[in-house]
Amino acid sequence: MPDGPPRDGDRVIEQLREMILVREFETRVSELFENNELPGFVHLYIGQEAVGVGACSAIRDEDYITSTHRGHGHAIAKGLDIDRMMAELFGKASGYCGGKSGSMHIADIDRGMLGANGIVGAGPPLAAGAGQSIRRRGEDRVCLSFFGEGAMAEGQVHEAMNLAGVRDLPVVFVCENNGYGEMTPAEEQHNVEGFLARGDVYGMPSEDVDGMDVRDVYDATSRAVERARDGEGPSLLVCETYRYRGHYEGDPTTYRTDEEVERWQERDPIETLTADLVEAGELVEADVESMRADARERVDEAVAFARESDMPDPETAFDGVYAEEL
Ligand SMILES: Cc1ncc(C[n+]2csc(CCOP(=O)(O)OP(=O)(O)O)c2C)c(N)n1
């Protein structure tokens, strides 16, 4: 586990800036949802920012990711535009999916974001497919597949990991163990402790990662990505992390204690990185305050863009539902 000074100052400061943007975006989403401005369900990533940001900063623009129902952080880390994300959350025509997807299906194929997904465990098979296409086309790309530890119990995740292992596909499986699948603790959903052995059974290396430290996630992902690019096949990263909010906005969270939440918050990925950077003389507290102010301003702009955008034309209701030509 990395302690002390950062390994590469500029990159780490960018990672901090990005984690702050994710946090501010989602904090605003939580307020907007409470004000009944957003239709549908919202699952927030607050607390888990180091995983999405650390992993996505270890790949290139042309690489792919697959995401989950808790996908805002992955999308922002992959470089999606928060104006269009916010508009999608408002159900507006200017959103990434024309207002049809809401929070849980945001996708931008041009930026390699192959989709958030309301179906638990649906990302890994897409990632195996992306890996297969990379292989067939002889491209120098990789695919990161984010999924929760709850999805580890889904059959299709095992099928995807097996296929990726058998074919040495350039996929990195990034399991975010935040301790709960909906309201059920991980230990009640799985009959073995930890998830590292899941890599062994599919013949891929697995690594336990401190998901509260963006540097640890970046380093582990970089190693796995290098293997994948070298044709050595997939890896499994198990990132230990925590979601501060409920499973969904409005969840009364009666299944865990305030003390447990506070214990994890003591290791907050933004606060601990800030403290390390200040101690190392890389920045001062005022720099972080100004990053926060910039992020809030950027989120204000995104909300204004979303509010001013038009609702989708009812004529477009069936666009994208049926293939135009068989
Ligand atoms: C196939 C499927 N089964 C069940 C659900 C209902 N569901 C939504 S989220 C969730 C828990 C997912 O837990 P995990 O994969 O650990 O992700 P987390 O919510 O912790 O990020 C469940 C069971 C679903 N959406 N899809």
Side-chain angles (χ1 to χ4, degrees), residues 46-69:
I46 296 177
Q48 299 184 213
E49 296 91 345
V51 181
V53 169
C56 286
S57 54
I59 59 171
R60 305 173 185 155
D61 279 355
E62 65 269 25
D63 293 327
Y64 299 116
I65 68 166
T66 68
S67 173
T68 68
H69 54 286

Side-chain angles (χ1 to χ4, degrees), residues 42-215:
V42 174
H43 306 80
L44 297 183
Y45 195 59
I46 296 177
Q48 299 184 213
E49 296 91 345
V51 181
V53 169
C56 286
S57 54
I59 59 171
R60 305 173 185 155
D61 279 355
E62 65 269 25
D63 293 327
Y64 299 116
I65 68 166
T66 68
S67 173
T68 68
H69 54 286
R70 203 175 298 290
H72 306 150
H74 307 143
I76 294 174
K78 188 66 176 75
L80 269 65
D81 171 22
I82 65 167
D83 288 351
R84 294 186 65 197
M85 284 179 62
M86 194 61 91
E88 189 58 52
L89 287 165
F90 272 79
K92 296 296 184 74
S94 57
Y96 267 109
C97 305
K100 288 183 178 179
S101 91
S103 164
M104 269 190 278
H105 293 273
I106 289 176
D108 181 7
I109 306 302
D110 292 339
R111 281 212 69 90
M113 163 47 162
L114 303 183
N117 217 310
I119 301 170
V120 171
L126 294 175
Q132 177 70 11
S133 109
I134 293 168
R135 178 56 41 81
R136 281 184 78 110
R137 294 174 181 175
E139 296 171 338
D140 181 24
R141 286 172 151 169
V142 298
C143 183
L144 300 186
S145 186
F146 295 99
F147 57 99
E149 89 294 334
M152 269 289 194
E154 291 286 345
Q156 55 182 340
V157 172
H158 295 268
E159 292 173 41
M161 290 177 73
N162 185 54
L163 187 70
V166 164
R167 298 198 175 174
D168 283 335
L169 300 178
V171 178
V172 180
F173 294 95
V174 184
C175 176
E176 298 189 60
N177 181 12
N178 63 14
Y180 294 88
E182 290 191 326
M183 292 83 204
T184 310
E187 56 274 17
E188 287 177 30
Q189 292 184 65
H190 307 274
N191 205 22
V192 287
E193 209 180 308
F195 299 96
L196 294 180
R198 314 279 176 123
D200 298 344
V201 293
Y202 300 116
M204 65 181 81
S206 51
E207 204 177 322
D208 206 8
V209 181
D210 180 358
M212 302 303 270
D213 191 322
V214 75
R215 297 159 291 189

Side-chain angles (χ1 to χ4, degrees), residues 220-272:
T221 311
S222 299
R223 284 190 288 275
V225 164
E226 196 179 328
R227 275 191 88 245
R229 286 200 205 285
D230 287 347
E232 290 173 44
S235 307
L236 169 65
L237 305 179
V238 182
C239 302
E240 309 297 342
T241 183
Y242 199 78
R243 61 166 158 77
Y244 297 172
R245 308 286 305 173
H247 168 61
Y248 58 89
E249 283 303 277
D251 172 4
T253 60
T254 47
Y255 48 87
R256 65 185 195 186
T257 61
D258 291 346
E259 291 72 42
E260 179 181 297
V261 181
E262 283 157 20
R263 251 197 329 276
W264 280 90
Q265 284 174 329
E266 280 165 19
R267 302 192 46 236
D268 182 81
I270 296 175
E271 299 302 327
T272 50

